[in-house]
Amino acid sequence: MKSGTHPDYHFITVQMTDGTTYQTRSTWGKEGDTLQLEIDPTAHPAWTGGRGQMLDTGGQVARFNKRFGGLSLSKK
């Protein structure tokens, strides 16, 4: 393996939005730096599967169901 091709992999401290901290290894920053999160992955809907909404613009879902609603995948 060539030397100098990989970034420095070192310990940093990650501080969550609620103040809790943990140590992990990363290529971010320098040894001993603290990464302060602005969005908490334990509470943000993008990571927790929050309420998802499907918008039916122009009745496209209704039109699809009208055309293909009678189809079934079961073999008879």
Side-chain angles (χ1 to χ4, degrees):
M1 183 168 25
K2 292 182 181 179
S3 62
T5 59
H6 295 283
D8 181 33
Y9 196 58
H10 49 268
F11 280 101
I12 64 165
T13 303
V14 178
Q15 182 176 7
M16 306 291 269
T17 56
D18 64 356
T20 59
T21 61
Y22 66 93
Q23 277 202 328
T24 187
R25 291 179 52 110
S26 175
T27 58
W28 180 85
K30 298 176 185 154
E31 178 81 28
D33 281 353
T34 300
L35 175 64
Q36 295 180 342
L37 298 181
E38 296 175 2
I39 299 174
D40 193 349
T42 61
H44 195 276
W47 291 282
T48 60
R51 290 186 331 134
Q53 296 179 347
M54 184 173 73
L55 300 176
D56 184 10
T57 57
Q60 292 179 0
V61 174
R63 198 169 354 147
F64 177 86
N65 288 335
K66 183 178 176 184
R67 281 181 78 182
F68 303 107
L71 295 178
S72 79
L73 299 174
S74 63
K75 294 181 181 180
K76 293 182 180 180

